Amino acid sequence: MKKFINYLPIIAVLFTSGCYSISGTISKEPLAYLRITGVQDKLILNVDDASPVIITPQKDPINIQVTPTKHSIKIMRGDAIIVNRIVLLSDQQTLEISVP
């Protein structure tokens, strides 16, 4: 019996070390997209007052990757603002904006 008591801590470690497991889910980065269509001349796209993106007819349609949240969208032709919208995008959503 004394021998068993001496080995009890080793036996406990051996039994508990095999009980560890890892489980979980893999989640992808949340993404949303803006698709700008109907571009006939050079335009300037501004999303949330960040650095502007130049859009040309050769790039029509243009897809912009954004985070799924509320965004302020401005599209300018020269000095005139032709699109001024506030949009709310959810995960994996693509919002198409047709330029007038």
Side-chain angles (χ1 to χ4, degrees):
M1 184 72 170
K2 189 174 183 179
K3 240 182 184 181
F4 177 73
I5 293 175
N6 289 339
Y7 290 113
L8 190 59
I10 296 171
I11 294 170
V13 169
L14 290 175
F15 278 111
T16 59
S17 64
C19 296
Y20 181 75
S21 68
I22 297 175
S23 65
T25 59
I26 298 173
S27 61
K28 296 180 180 179
E29 186 72 26
L31 297 174
Y33 299 91
L34 293 172
R35 175 176 285 164
I36 312 298
T37 61
V39 178
Q40 296 179 2
D41 51 0
K42 182 178 170 184
L43 302 173
I44 298 172
L45 170 67
N46 197 318
V47 179
D48 297 328
D49 294 324
S51 55
V53 176
I54 306 286
I55 304 173
T56 61
Q58 292 83 17
K59 295 181 183 178
D60 186 33
I62 185 168
N63 294 315
I64 306 288
Q65 180 179 321
V66 294
T67 57
T69 188
K70 183 178 173 182
H71 293 286
S72 170
I73 310 297
K74 291 181 185 172
I75 300 177
M76 299 174 58
R77 181 181 292 132
D79 291 333
I81 297 175
I82 58 173
V83 174
N84 189 7
R85 296 184 191 166
I86 294 179
V87 297
L88 182 61
L89 295 167
S90 61
D91 190 22
Q92 299 299 317
Q93 180 182 4
T94 300
L95 175 69
E96 185 170 318
I97 299 175
S98 181
V99 176

